[in-house]
Amino acid sequence: MSLFAAVRLPREILFGKGQRHVIPTVAARLGRRALVCTDERFAATVAFAEIMEALECASIDVLVHDRVLPDVPRDTVAVCVEMARQFAPDMVIGIGGGSCLDMAKCAALLISHGGLLQDYYGEFKVPGPTLPLIAVPTTAGTGSEVTPVAVISDPDRTMKVGISSPHLIAAAAICDPELTMTCPPGLTAIAGADALTHAIEAFTAVRRGTDPNLPQQHVFIGKSALTDHFALLAIKLLGRSLEKAYRDPADEDARAEVMMGALAAGCAFGTAGTAAAHAVQYPIGAVTHTAHGLGVATMLPYVMKYNRVAAAAEMTEIGLALGLDGRERSTGEMADAAIDEIGRLFGAIGITPTLAKLGLPADKLDWTAEQALGIDRLIKNNPRPFDLAAMRGLIQAAYDGDLATYVV
């Protein structure tokens, strides 16, 4: 194991029941004027009203943008920023799911540096620090509260696009599992499966070597001892509590473990990156308009099967983190057991098992393979290389549901 590693995280991560009550204290250290980005659903809750009242009592002026839409349509960011310019905020507070946090990141970016959002697509395009951001997730999945990434929908492009920069990392992540208690079972499942996919893809990502310039040239640099630590914690927590939270939304302990798992997964993949399951989801999402977390979770068992030959040792550790008994099992048997357990868990929480059932048309398989293979920043992170034939075989297996006999 190489001890070369890098992790970029918020200056402050606060986790636990009731942590939402310290938002005014944290905000007061950053300024006196806050732009708050959320969506209509959460803006109508008692919890949101209480947070706003607490900020007011702390003498912090607030401008609320409560029109965040799923997947953050590009042009909605400009609307938010235009509304906020005259207010001249000292900070941005994102409260909600991943889209609310991504909107907050994008708003902080454009208020600070101007221009168009598309000027910043890709890696290291943000020229300097942005307004400080407080990220307050209300779902447990994306990990956006700790990652250097914002994902948006661009109407001029077929697939969603990302802005990746260490300058997008929140100043503070405040994670209160009580805010997830009203999350419905379906969303709990999709968000949690997204987080588990983040953790597994980060843990099985390539190890790229020890070049000291690597973190200066790339936001995602592959797995390391530090990201592995976070990834295994996420796999352990999500493996034992995601199904519980899905079946009993009132289970406070399960909710807390799922949220901690999503946070840890974000700490892992925010530096290590993700891989083929995410690459395939980009074109699938563009065609089927299904939730991101659902698409990556549908793909994960098939990607794990493809990667088994290159990452059997890592999959053995994944199996142990999931609570499987490793006694009297070879590495290959344990890897297979881990893949089976992911499939069982996802089936138990209602994750769609095939691309056909996800709604991908049969005549889009070749196009999906070509598009996925072209997302180089993710494909090069996969532990086993792809060519077009291999990617086409993976897509076909996932379309047919042919996990048992899929020959790799």
Side-chain angles (χ1 to χ4, degrees):
M1 179 184 69
S2 167
L3 290 183
F4 170 83
V7 175
R8 299 181 176 106
L9 295 173
R11 293 196 296 270
E12 188 170 31
I13 298 175
L14 302 172
F15 184 97
K17 182 178 179 180
Q19 283 291 342
R20 67 189 182 279
H21 299 305
V22 306
I23 294 173
T25 303
V26 175
R29 294 199 291 264
L30 301 175
R32 290 295 165 187
R33 301 174 69 78
L35 168 66
V36 175
C37 298
T38 191
D39 57 25
E40 286 187 292
R41 185 202 68 81
F42 190 72
T45 65
V46 172
F48 182 78
E50 290 174 347
I51 293 170
M52 294 304 101
E53 182 180 1
L55 287 168
E56 181 180 350
C57 289
S59 300
I60 295 173
D61 293 331
V62 172
L63 175 66
V64 176
H65 176 78
D66 60 1
R67 295 293 184 268
V68 178
L69 299 175
D71 300 323
V72 192
R74 182 197 67 195
D75 296 339
T76 65
V77 178
V79 173
C80 173
V81 169
E82 185 61 30
M83 178 188 74
R85 285 198 189 281
Q86 188 172 356
F87 178 70
D90 300 317
M91 75 195 85
V92 181
I93 304 175
I95 309 178
S99 292
C100 294
L101 305 188
D102 286 354
M103 168 65 91
K105 291 177 180 180
C106 292
L109 166 59
L110 291 189
I111 292 170
S112 301
H113 297 293
L116 302 174
L117 207 56
Q118 47 268 46
D119 297 336
Y120 305 102
Y121 292 170
E123 290 189 318
F124 287 112
K125 299 291 182 63
V126 179
T130 70
L131 284 178
L133 168 68
I134 299 174
V136 186
T138 62
T139 61
T142 69
S144 185
E145 64 271 16
V146 293
T147 69
V149 181
V151 178
I152 66 163
S153 300
D154 187 320
D156 298 328
R157 300 189 177 211
T158 303
M159 295 178 285
K160 289 189 288 186
V161 293
I163 301 171
S164 302
S165 169
H167 294 305
L168 294 185
I169 297 173
I174 299 177
C175 305
D176 185 339
E178 287 187 324
L179 293 178
T180 70
M181 295 298 292
T182 59
C183 191
L187 180 55
T188 297
I190 290 172
D194 187 21
L196 188 50
T197 304
H198 290 154
I200 289 175
E201 290 215 292
F203 189 68
T204 56
V206 295
R207 196 184 300 276
R208 294 190 184 172
T210 60
D211 181 354
N213 290 313
L214 183 63
Q216 311 310 317
Q217 297 168 346
H218 300 280
V219 174
F220 299 131
I221 63 169
K223 71 190 265 101
S224 72
L226 290 177
T227 61
D228 283 355
H229 168 77
F230 287 115
L232 286 175
L233 174 61
I235 293 165
K236 178 181 179 180
L237 294 174
L238 291 162
R240 74 186 183 197
S241 289
L242 178 54
E243 187 175 352
K244 290 180 184 177
Y246 170 77
R247 296 195 181 282
D248 181 7
D251 187 330
E252 293 185 4
D253 290 339
R255 287 288 195 183
E257 290 208 336
V258 169
M259 190 175 214
M260 177 65 84
L263 169 67
C267 292
F269 93 86
T271 302
T274 54
H278 279 72
V280 175
Q281 163 55 19
Y282 274 92
I284 289 172
V287 173
T288 65
H289 303 290
T290 50
H292 167 83
L294 180 58
V296 296
T298 296
M299 284 303 305
L300 182 62
Y302 304 98
V303 170
M304 291 179 71
K305 186 69 178 287
Y306 177 82
N307 287 336
R308 178 187 177 280
V309 67
E314 285 82 0
M315 290 185 193
T316 294
E317 292 189 70
I318 289 169
L320 294 173
L322 290 170
L324 302 180
D325 187 351
R327 291 173 296 180
E328 299 182 3
R329 280 176 166 170
S330 68
T331 298
E333 290 170 339
M334 196 62 181
D336 288 336
I339 297 169
D340 290 343
E341 173 59 14
I342 291 299
R344 184 211 65 78
L345 172 59
F346 284 178
I349 62 175
I351 298 299
T352 307
T354 71
L355 295 184
K357 291 185 177 180
L358 207 60
L360 184 69
D363 62 2
K364 285 290 188 179
L365 300 188
D366 288 340
W367 178 85
T368 299
E370 291 167 0
Q371 295 298 313
L373 192 64
I375 305 177
D376 185 63
R377 65 184 174 84
L378 299 179
I379 293 301
K380 69 183 180 184
N381 217 30
N382 203 70
R384 184 181 177 191
F386 276 99
D387 58 19
L388 185 57
M391 180 60 76
R392 183 61 174 80
L394 173 67
I395 300 298
Q396 188 69 57
Y399 184 84
D400 295 335
D402 187 16
L403 185 61
T405 61
Y406 177 34
V407 178
V408 294

